[in-house]
Amino acid sequence: MKKMKLGTFIFTIIKYISLIFASIIALIPVLVCVLTAFKTNEEYANTSVLDRPQSFLNFDNFVTAFKQANMLRGFLNTGLVLVVVLVASVFIGSMLAYVLNRFEFKGNAFIRNLFMFASLIPGIATQVTVYQIMHKLGFINHLYGYMIVLMGTDIISIYIFLQFFENISVSLDESAIMDGCTYFGVFFKILFPLLKPAIVTTMVLKGVGIYNEYYMSNLYLQTPDLKTISTALYTFTGPYGNQYNYICAGVLITIIPILIIFLIFQKQVYGGMAAGAVKE
Amino acid sequence: MSNKMTSVSTSKVSLKSKLRSKKGQQLMVIITFMIIPLTLLVVFTGIPFVKMIEFSFYKMKYIGPREFVGFQNYIDVFRRDDCFKSLIVSVYYMGGALVQLVLALYFATMMVFGVKGSSVFKGAIFFPYLICGIAVGFIFRFFYARGFVLDTILTGLGFNAESIPYWLQDKRINNISLVATSVWRYMGQNTILFLGAMMSVSPDLYEAACLDGANKWHQFRYIILPSIKSIIVLNLILSISGSLSAFEPPYVITNGTMGTGTYFVIMNRLAHENQKVGLACAMAIILFIIIIICTVMQKLFFAYVFDDGTADESKSAVRRRKNEEKKLKRMLERE
């Protein structure tokens, strides 16, 4: 092997140092939370935030946080919303993409543009008037109302499905039609099973989005037994104002599921990011 | 090759006639598959949008009488202290977005040159993006609180405790502190986007460049940068609307006090706490107009600055070549 040139060597050093530095910066705020979450009230009051807790097995804060913020309710509600909305939006999104990709009809381009245009309208901003509609429909303070608002198709999942359909050869449809299959049959029996990778990607992306969603659940689910995970977490602004050992425990409880999903579906998450980026 | 071409086109014709005979069924599929998404779109985006425009001309609350005020709400957005200041605050966020872009570009470039354990670095830098905004808020409220994380780290590094400013109360720097959380949150996502675009460059190109004696800077300048310039512009433009939309972290960390209210925080307060529905709608419409302007800018940019291919190929030639390539790709797939 050739000897490394000095320039390359320095470049390599800089490369690694900067990446390690960035990773540390990215992780420190979260890691400090981990340290703090395991501290008893006494330790919390008397030790520096960077000190290690006496024991990493002291789960009292987690238990307290879980109970106080009623996170069990939050997880149950968020879980239910996730299941229903994800299943529904996979079907809604893939069916829409199927029609838009496979059929040429008047208004095809118009509908694509409509969804594109809709994606430009800032979500939080329209809630002022969506609130009124929700009120008129009697959707406020009902889990199903919140679910239905979330089902509104987002442009990113449409794009992911559209891209995917583009790469599935039309000859598959053709031969199935020749064999006497209906269009419904083509979609449900032949194409839908092939969509699996796209379905996983949209589910992961949309799932993370729903899990983290705060604004609408705060607006449309106002009773305590309808708290979702993020509104449950928000309750820590109140009584625990500065007891950060409890707050950190609460924060970690909400982060852990996301971390697990991320570790399992890294590829899909990164891939989905790229799909979202090419929306111009 | 030409043989295949004809076979493809004949099968297309036969398919076309088949489809026509099944027009009725096709129509039914189109209707049944689109009715739900279109209904949702109309009810939760279309109608609210139209109403938003209407409301923006009224002085009104959620319930009770309303009064037509013309463009007064729009004028108020620029006249009222809280609204106007939030526009200034968003300038900080735009600056942050710029820093974030440069950093992301740097780290993506480092990774594309090959790093051992790149998936660990990628994961660590990206993960903040997945944390819920409310949690990010709490994490940084703790991080910046007087005498807590950041102060402890700084004193540990030898800074004088008294010379450390109040990160969230000091009006000279509190917006910078908040913008830093947003850089922390989104930088990794940008890095991943850039990295994705850079990876799409064929590795042969790097090898060839290396053989030609190109150094790292040349590789960056002539191979990497051209491959991602469109995604950079896209992100620059998105950062304008993004900086106006910053919401959860400032909402949790300072709740918009001490001059840190972002556009959305102020809009939220006006809409749901003060019930100034008309004014909030006017703010939303102004934001929407800004976003439209950004989108048009982006389209123009791509149409006139980038889509010109190489110097010895005209625009239309590029388009023709791209179409040709697409056709070829499809044909290969059919095999």
Side-chain angles (χ1 to χ4, degrees):
Chain A
M1 232 171 104
K2 265 189 279 177
K3 225 177 162 187
M4 225 188 230
K5 269 191 264 168
L6 184 67
T8 321
F9 180 70
I10 292 173
F11 177 78
T12 310
I13 298 272
I14 293 176
K15 186 166 76 177
Y16 279 99
I17 288 181
S18 57
L19 281 170
I20 290 169
F21 186 69
S23 306
I24 290 174
I25 300 266
L27 292 178
I28 272 192
V30 182
L31 289 180
V32 177
C33 268
V34 176
L35 293 181
T36 307
F38 286 98
K39 284 180 182 170
T40 62
N41 281 339
E42 201 179 315
E43 277 180 278
Y44 171 72
N46 297 324
T47 61
S48 152
V49 280
L50 299 180
D51 285 342
R52 237 164 47 87
Q54 266 172 6
S55 149
F56 275 112
L57 294 170
N58 170 24
F59 288 102
D60 294 352
N61 296 334
F62 290 89
V63 175
T64 313
F66 198 78
K67 279 190 189 148
Q68 276 301 320
N70 207 354
M71 287 184 134
L72 183 63
R73 257 285 130 222
F75 273 114
L76 287 177
N77 286 332
T78 298
L80 194 63
V81 169
L82 273 174
V83 171
V84 174
V85 175
L86 288 185
V87 170
S89 34
V90 160
F91 277 105
I92 293 172
S94 60
M95 282 151 89
L96 181 71
Y98 169 69
V99 171
L100 291 178
N101 179 261
R102 290 303 208 244
F103 301 132
E104 277 173 31
F105 57 93
K106 252 188 205 162
N108 186 319
F110 175 71
I111 288 171
R112 281 175 195 238
N113 285 331
L114 216 56
F115 278 97
M116 184 67 215
F117 184 74
S119 78
L120 294 177
I121 302 172
I124 294 183
T126 52
Q127 298 310 318
V128 183
T129 42
V130 172
Y131 186 85
Q132 278 214 326
I133 290 171
M134 293 288 283
H135 188 73
K136 274 194 191 131
L137 292 170
F139 277 2
I140 288 175
N141 286 336
H142 291 290
L143 223 43
Y144 63 81
Y146 178 60
M147 288 172 184
I148 291 173
V149 193
L150 287 180
M151 276 175 208
T153 349
D154 57 314
I155 195 83
I156 299 208
S157 39
I158 297 180
Y159 268 100
I160 292 174
F161 283 123
L162 274 177
Q163 266 179 10
F164 211 81
F165 272 118
E166 232 146 71
N167 292 324
I168 300 177
S169 165
V170 190
S171 57
L172 258 181
D173 304 33
E174 287 167 24
S175 52
I177 295 276
M178 302 245 192
D179 291 345
C181 204
T182 62
Y183 286 108
F184 288 98
V186 169
F187 177 75
F188 286 108
K189 286 196 200 126
I190 297 167
L191 296 176
F192 194 75
L194 290 176
L195 287 178
K196 219 169 126 193
I199 291 173
V200 175
T201 305
T202 49
M203 274 193 153
V204 170
L205 281 188
K206 188 146 188 165
V208 170
I210 293 171
Y211 182 88
N212 288 341
E213 203 282 322
Y214 168 78
Y215 198 82
M216 287 195 265
S217 57
N218 179 44
L219 216 50
Y220 304 133
L221 302 172
Q222 292 170 342
T223 56
D225 57 334
L226 287 176
K227 286 234 178 302
T228 60
I229 201 66
S230 56
T231 47
L233 182 63
Y234 186 73
T235 55
F236 281 111
T237 42
Y240 285 104
N242 283 314
Q243 280 301 102
Y244 284 106
N245 51 343
Y246 295 119
I247 296 178
C248 286
V251 164
L252 289 180
I253 292 173
T254 60
I255 290 180
I256 288 164
I258 288 287
L259 179 64
I260 293 169
I261 292 286
F262 174 58
L263 292 178
I264 300 174
F265 294 106
Q266 262 185 62
K267 257 196 196 133
Q268 282 84 353
V269 173
Y270 293 150
M273 293 285 99
V278 291
K279 71 180 197 177
E280 41 95 16
Chain B
M1 189 62 99
S2 65
N3 206 358
K4 255 172 224 150
M5 200 104 87
T6 49
S7 84
V8 165
S9 60
T10 48
S11 84
K12 222 172 203 167
V13 169
S14 70
L15 178 72
K16 234 180 193 169
S17 59
K18 272 247 155 51
L19 291 184
R20 204 162 288 153
S21 70
K22 297 201 165 193
K23 239 276 90 139
Q25 201 201 2
Q26 213 182 73
L27 193 68
M28 226 168 74
V29 175
I30 293 176
I31 292 172
T32 46
F33 278 18
M34 291 212 306
I35 188 127
I36 298 175
L38 282 183
T39 311
L40 287 172
L41 188 72
V42 170
V43 173
F44 294 117
T45 311
I47 298 174
F49 182 62
V50 174
K51 287 221 160 186
M52 210 160 72
I53 297 175
E54 182 197 334
F55 288 177
S56 69
F57 294 106
Y58 286 91
K59 186 179 177 184
M60 60 184 287
K61 294 190 170 190
Y62 280 105
I63 310 162
R66 60 185 195 179
E67 179 197 338
F68 185 81
V69 291
F71 281 96
Q72 192 54 46
N73 286 326
Y74 289 91
I75 297 167
D76 280 351
V77 172
F78 294 97
R79 279 244 185 99
R80 278 178 67 108
D81 215 27
D82 50 356
C83 301
F84 188 70
K85 260 198 191 130
S86 73
L87 284 171
I88 308 247
V89 167
S90 68
V91 175
Y92 281 95
Y93 283 82
M94 279 177 218
L98 214 62
V99 172
Q100 171 186 318
L101 232 60
V102 171
L103 286 174
L105 195 57
Y106 172 78
F107 289 116
T109 310
M110 289 296 124
M111 283 192 225
V112 92
F113 281 136
V115 178
K116 283 206 183 76
S118 69
S119 66
V120 176
F121 290 127
K122 248 163 89 174
I125 295 175
F126 176 76
F127 186 65
Y129 178 71
L130 296 178
I131 298 175
C132 124
I134 299 297
V136 171
F138 280 121
I139 290 172
F140 279 93
R141 213 168 80 173
F142 179 45
F143 190 79
Y144 286 129
R146 189 63 171 174
F148 284 114
V149 188
L150 186 55
D151 291 358
T152 314
I153 293 173
L154 288 178
T155 44
L157 290 174
F159 284 88
N160 185 353
E162 273 149 40
S163 66
I164 296 172
Y166 283 82
W167 302 108
L168 298 174
Q169 284 84 12
D170 190 332
K171 284 190 181 171
R172 280 166 303 172
I173 55 156
N174 57 4
N175 276 314
I176 295 172
S177 311
L178 288 173
V179 168
T181 69
S182 140
V183 174
W184 178 82
R185 195 174 174 202
Y186 294 111
M187 199 269 290
Q189 189 244 9
N190 274 357
T191 309
I192 296 297
L193 285 183
F194 292 157
L195 193 60
M198 289 174 187
M199 293 291 218
S200 62
V201 178
S202 147
D204 301 349
L205 215 52
Y206 292 110
E207 234 165 76
C210 256
L211 288 179
D212 287 348
N215 63 23
K216 297 275 194 252
W217 168 249
H218 289 141
Q219 288 182 30
F220 175 75
R221 176 70 188 80
Y222 296 107
I223 303 176
I224 295 179
L225 207 55
S227 72
I228 56 162
K229 60 182 178 180
S230 59
I231 209 165
I232 293 177
V233 173
L234 180 70
N235 270 289
L236 264 177
I237 292 168
L238 282 180
S239 71
I240 297 175
S241 53
S243 57
L244 286 165
S245 319
F247 177 68
E248 279 149 343
Y251 175 69
V252 176
I253 300 174
T254 59
N255 198 11
T257 55
M258 316 272 180
T260 57
T262 60
Y263 201 69
F264 263 17
V265 169
I266 299 295
M267 195 196 306
N268 176 60
R269 186 184 298 156
L270 290 173
H272 301 293
E273 284 166 35
N274 306 352
Q275 294 228 359
K276 291 189 187 296
V277 175
L279 184 60
C281 284
M283 283 184 86
I285 297 289
I286 288 174
L287 176 59
F288 181 69
I289 292 170
I290 293 174
I291 290 174
I292 292 286
I293 292 172
C294 293
T295 313
V296 171
M297 255 164 55
Q298 171 197 332
K299 291 262 188 254
L300 290 179
F301 212 91
F302 284 118
Y304 292 101
V305 183
F306 282 161
D307 198 29
D308 55 359
T310 49
D312 37 58
E313 239 181 329
S314 75
K315 255 192 223 176
S316 58
V318 172
R319 218 165 293 141
R320 229 176 296 134
R321 180 168 55 78
K322 277 186 183 159
N323 275 337
E324 216 63 39
E325 277 167 10
K326 229 187 220 169
K327 260 187 219 156
L328 201 69
K329 208 177 136 201
R330 268 202 203 140
M331 260 162 43
L332 289 175
E333 268 164 18
R334 268 161 202 267
E335 277 181 40

